[in-house]
Amino acid sequence: MSKQRIRLFVTGKVQGVFFRQTLKVMAKKNDVFGWVKNLEDGRVESVLEGDEDKVNRLVEWAHRGPANARVEDIDILNEKFTNEFSTFDVLY
């Protein structure tokens, strides 16, 4: 299974709607590691590392987000897989 690292920048109504917490739950269910945090400009940033199909599953979810979110845009950056994470954390 090929490994992948993705950095996401999600724009829209994505703060105050449990986006970070729900992404953490989804990441744990899919054995994806990394982190997620709110940015001061209203976006959410996340780094996801894991099996390519599982990371892609989370990217697909991020296009919708949780029930009260309104995702307007998502920037996806492919990065070099580093295997530096052993957990998925919400950063503050």
Side-chain angles (χ1 to χ4, degrees):
M1 182 65 54
S2 130
K3 300 290 186 180
Q4 184 175 26
R5 177 181 173 124
I6 296 286
R7 184 177 302 262
L8 300 177
F9 293 94
V10 186
T11 304
K13 182 183 174 192
V14 292
Q15 292 189 13
V17 294
F18 296 97
F19 195 100
R20 293 174 298 159
Q21 292 80 1
T22 308
L23 182 57
K24 180 178 181 175
V25 169
M26 297 288 294
K28 285 186 170 197
K29 284 183 182 178
N30 286 281
D31 294 319
V32 172
F33 305 105
W35 53 262
V36 61
K37 69 178 179 179
N38 285 342
L39 298 177
E40 289 184 16
D41 64 6
R43 295 179 300 162
V44 169
E45 179 183 7
S46 183
V47 171
L48 309 170
E49 278 198 345
D51 291 340
E52 185 175 3
D53 62 332
K54 294 177 179 182
V55 170
N56 288 337
R57 194 173 304 147
L58 290 187
V59 171
E60 286 177 27
W61 174 87
H63 279 88
R64 297 180 310 275
N68 293 324
R70 279 197 328 268
V71 175
E72 295 172 3
D73 192 26
I74 188 165
D75 291 324
I76 303 168
L77 305 172
N78 289 300
E79 297 183 347
K80 182 180 179 193
F81 181 80
T82 62
N83 200 32
E84 68 183 280
F85 306 111
S86 59
T87 61
F88 191 92
D89 297 310
V90 175
L91 303 182
Y92 297 92

